[in-house]
Amino acid sequence: NAGVTQTPKFQVLKTGQSMTLQCAQDMNHEYMSWYRQDPGMGLRLIHYSVGAGITDQGEVPNGYNVSRSTTEDFPLRLLSAAPSQTSVYFCASSDPGETQYFGPGTRLLVL
Amino acid sequence: DAKTTQPNSMESNEEEPVHLPCNHSTISGTDYIHWYRQLPSQGPEYVIHGLTSNVNNRMASLAIAEDRKSSTLILHRATLRDAAVYYCILIRAGGTSYGKLTFGQGTILTVHP
């Protein structure tokens, strides 16, 4: 099992550009989540999904869109990048009632 | 969701035991106590969890107070690889809480050789 994979590992964007952060898991988990982590801070939930076709907002959803067309994939879209979105982004997956598995993260710099 | 309170930082020497405390005075009866840790430049990883009784696994032990208002993560023999940020998180049983963890700032554990 590859577990939770994220691409790209690093990305530099200019203000106003859009991009999609990819997340995939091969454990057939129902739950998938996106978090962001700013320097020296804990993780904050952006969006999450409890199954294919079902998504909901977390604590800091503004500026981000998600969709869940398959169980395996949960991409995060930045609509118009802003410097405030410079962060490390983590994707996670789990089964209901089970622990979460996190990906290695995507480091994003918005200039 | 109930909040947790942890010290900002702790230090230990290698091969000594480490006790990481967590206060959760507003915990509800269906809240599980989970511990995750985050090594430098990595995503968080699960350490241990419990409800009422003390728990042991290959990584650590979890001691839960009788009134459940506090808990302690115990690393029996700290190694340099245990240097990380440790997060104590409450997760309510049932519903979708497992998909949306609430992370505080955690405890930064420094292990000295």
Side-chain angles (χ1 to χ4, degrees):
Chain A
N1 282 353
V4 179
T5 58
Q6 293 183 237
T7 56
K9 290 184 179 180
F10 304 97
Q11 184 70 48
V12 179
L13 290 178
K14 294 181 179 179
T15 297
Q17 287 184 317
S18 62
M19 78 160 294
T20 299
L21 279 63
Q22 302 291 344
C23 174
Q25 52 94 6
D26 61 359
M27 297 172 282
N28 203 33
H29 286 163
E30 289 187 39
Y31 290 0
M32 295 188 75
S33 311
W34 275 103
Y35 298 84
R36 61 176 286 175
Q37 185 173 34
D38 299 327
M41 306 290 289
L43 282 71
R44 291 184 293 169
L45 182 67
I46 304 172
H47 285 284
Y48 68 100
S49 168
V50 299
I54 306 170
T55 64
D56 205 349
Q57 296 181 351
E59 180 185 356
V60 287
N62 292 340
Y64 307 95
N65 273 357
V66 292
S67 61
R68 184 98 179 269
S69 56
T70 67
T71 299
E72 295 77 19
D73 300 298
F74 191 43
L76 177 72
R77 298 183 188 85
L78 278 69
L79 309 172
S80 177
S84 61
Q85 293 178 304
T86 293
S87 190
V88 181
Y89 292 83
F90 291 102
C91 178
S93 74
S94 70
D95 275 328
E98 300 295 329
T99 60
Q100 285 202 340
Y101 292 85
F102 285 82
T106 294
R107 297 183 180 274
L108 177 66
L109 173 63
V110 182
L111 302 175
Chain B
D1 292 334
K3 288 191 174 181
T4 63
T5 303
Q6 300 177 249
N8 289 335
S9 62
M10 293 187 66
E11 297 186 17
S12 173
N13 294 318
E14 202 172 9
E15 300 198 1
E16 290 184 353
V18 180
H19 292 232
L20 298 168
C22 181
N23 288 322
H24 28 79
S25 58
T26 60
I27 191 171
S28 79
T30 57
D31 285 339
Y32 281 79
I33 302 160
H34 283 242
W35 284 81
Y36 281 76
R37 73 179 185 181
Q38 187 175 19
L39 303 174
S41 300
Q42 295 188 26
E45 64 174 349
Y46 167 79
V47 178
I48 199 167
H49 77 282
L51 184 63
T52 56
S53 303
N54 295 344
V55 183
N56 300 296
N57 66 20
R58 64 176 180 81
M59 291 180 69
S61 297
L62 177 60
I64 301 173
E66 197 169 331
D67 62 6
R68 300 206 331 122
K69 294 183 184 298
S70 65
S71 61
T72 302
L73 178 70
I74 302 166
L75 307 179
H76 296 285
R77 291 182 64 192
T79 70
L80 296 179
R81 290 179 298 174
D82 291 322
V85 181
Y86 286 79
Y87 297 99
C88 170
I89 301 170
L90 301 182
I91 302 179
R92 188 148 298 172
T96 62
S97 294
Y98 282 94
K100 42 180 181 174
L101 304 184
T102 299
F103 287 82
Q105 290 197 308
T107 296
I108 300 171
L109 175 65
T110 301
V111 180
H112 299 289

